[in-house]
Amino acid sequence: MSIKIENLVYKYMTGTPFEKTAIDDVSLEIKDGEFIGLIGHTGSGKSTLIQQLNGLLKPTSGKIYIDGEDITVKGINLKKIRQKVGLVFQYPEYQLFEETVFKDVAFGPQNLGLSDDEILKRVKRALKIVGIDFEKYKDKSPFDLSGGQRRRIAIAGILAMEPKILILDEPTAGLDPKGRDEILEEIRKLHKEYNNTVILVSHSMEDVAKLVDRLIVMYKGKNILTGTPREVFKEIETLEKIGLAVPQVTYLIRELRKRGIDIREDIITVKEA
Ligand code: ADP
């Protein structure tokens, strides 16, 4: 499913002395099946942007089309939009509330009015994607599990809705390096298998650049760079200015340029030291 954003503006607390423009005239397109990294520092507007993509926040001005349908018009069916656009919030584990893992993951699909068979199938599939053993965990309380496991279960709850567009806001926040790599690997596999549109929100270039097809870089509410990781990394000066440069990559690009060689695709797979 595609997304098209036209001249989007979002202001918090409009008409008060505290008015704050969080999204400042952003226009962009995301194609069906693209894997996008939405990147920028804290406060650059990432969360504000994605919350408008499933109707949680209503734009101050501008348009958003999901698969050609304008979701900013009055009276739009938000339930239908949220079925298409699944949003995993930061620290989603805090939203778990059912007494068993099964019930928690099944909550969304149940609201879609699906048959018990279909719900069971979806819960199993979603737990498998996030690497949680169905038989072993289905009757356990999410609250008896580790933080990393709780996060996987919360992500599975959104996956079980089978959204055509999946948005994950900092899914690795607060996890140790192992937990972070595992979640990112699961997201990569999920996208490969289902080829749905995925937007991975992050403030870390290292996390996303080696996974995604395209990066959308936000700075002070504006989309200042868009392109493949390779294209974006070429803009070393801009990335350094906004504090998103990966030092090893920047160093390599500079050294290569001194020798008259352009950036190679494999440079972007440089991992953190
Ligand atoms: P990010 O997700 O990139 O960290 P946000 O979208 O959360 O950025 O924030 C963008 C800007 O909007 C920031 O300046 C932030 O302080 C401001 N902001 C976010 N939420 C609110 C809010 N509820 N009320 C007022 N200002 C907000």
Side-chain angles (χ1 to χ4, degrees):
M1 235 171 228
S2 64
I3 302 171
K4 188 174 179 193
I5 298 175
E6 280 177 359
N7 305 107
L8 193 69
V9 173
Y10 189 88
K11 294 180 182 177
Y12 286 103
M13 296 185 277
T14 42
T16 76
F18 308 104
E19 185 172 296
K20 164 90 202 169
T21 303
I23 298 296
D24 189 1
D25 196 15
V26 166
S27 296
L28 54 92
E29 278 187 60
I30 295 173
K31 291 193 200 77
D32 183 30
E34 259 195 307
F35 190 171
I36 296 285
L38 178 62
I39 179 148
H41 265 302
T42 306
S44 58
K46 305 179 302 292
S47 295
T48 306
L49 180 65
I50 56 170
Q51 286 179 67
Q52 294 173 87
L53 299 181
N54 80 341
L56 216 55
L57 292 179
K58 211 161 169 40
T60 306
S61 62
K63 293 279 178 203
I64 299 170
Y65 301 91
I66 303 290
D67 219 20
E69 185 183 9
D70 183 357
I71 65 159
T72 61
V73 291
K74 261 202 169 130
I76 187 90
N77 183 342
L78 284 177
K79 204 174 157 192
K80 231 175 77 188
I81 302 297
R82 284 175 199 161
Q83 233 170 284
K84 294 181 186 168
V85 184
L87 178 54
V88 178
F89 284 100
Q90 276 183 47
Y91 296 96
E93 58 273 25
Y94 293 127
Q95 289 169 23
L96 297 173
F97 61 94
E98 294 281 3
E99 69 243 36
T100 69
V101 166
F102 180 87
K103 282 187 184 170
D104 239 310
V105 180
F107 181 79
Q110 256 153 8
N111 276 340
L112 298 178
L114 302 169
S115 70
D116 287 352
D117 266 3
E118 177 63 21
I119 291 169
L120 181 65
K121 227 189 283 168
R122 284 186 177 212
V123 172
K124 280 186 175 173
R125 209 184 286 155
L127 286 173
K128 185 155 183 259
I129 293 169
V130 299
I132 296 277
D133 187 292
F134 174 80
E135 290 301 335
K136 192 168 162 200
Y137 288 99
K138 68 177 168 38
D139 298 320
K140 286 204 192 318
S141 163
F143 303 99
D144 293 335
L145 306 180
S146 74
Q149 286 170 323
R150 281 207 298 273
R151 179 158 315 169
R152 285 143 192 273
I153 287 154
I155 294 175
I158 300 288
L159 294 181
M161 306 273 284
E162 305 199 342
K164 294 280 192 301
I165 298 171
L166 177 67
I167 306 173
L168 300 119
D169 194 357
E170 301 270 4
T172 61
L175 297 179
D176 60 19
K178 185 167 166 277
R180 184 189 62 198
D181 289 348
E182 283 169 3
I183 293 247
L184 291 174
E185 175 58 17
E186 279 148 17
I187 296 166
R188 191 190 65 77
K189 277 199 302 211
L190 164 87
H191 177 258
K192 207 167 162 223
E193 199 172 326
Y194 293 96
N195 203 32
N196 50 352
T197 309
V198 176
I199 303 177
L200 181 56
V201 179
S202 178
H203 63 275
S204 156
M205 243 349 169
E206 283 104 327
D207 269 8
V208 296
K210 49 185 185 257
L211 288 177
V212 302
D213 300 324
R214 203 150 63 89
L215 289 165
I216 293 172
V217 182
M218 297 291 295
Y219 180 64
K220 293 190 176 169
K222 288 185 188 295
N223 166 22
I224 59 158
L225 281 176
T226 306
T228 60
R230 180 185 186 174
E231 287 162 350
V232 167
F233 275 128
K234 280 185 186 172
E235 307 298 322
I236 311 171
E237 291 76 16
T238 307
L239 292 177
E240 281 186 325
K241 194 181 108 204
I242 63 173
L244 282 180
V246 180
Q248 301 96 313
V249 178
T250 306
Y251 174 78
L252 277 168
I253 293 173
R254 287 227 159 93
E255 288 299 308
L256 284 171
R257 279 184 184 165
K258 274 191 216 157
R259 292 166 175 73
I261 305 167
D262 201 7
I263 172 177
R264 297 194 318 260
E265 193 69 67
D266 54 356
I267 286 176
I268 62 166
T269 62
V270 167
K271 294 215 172 119
E272 281 168 87

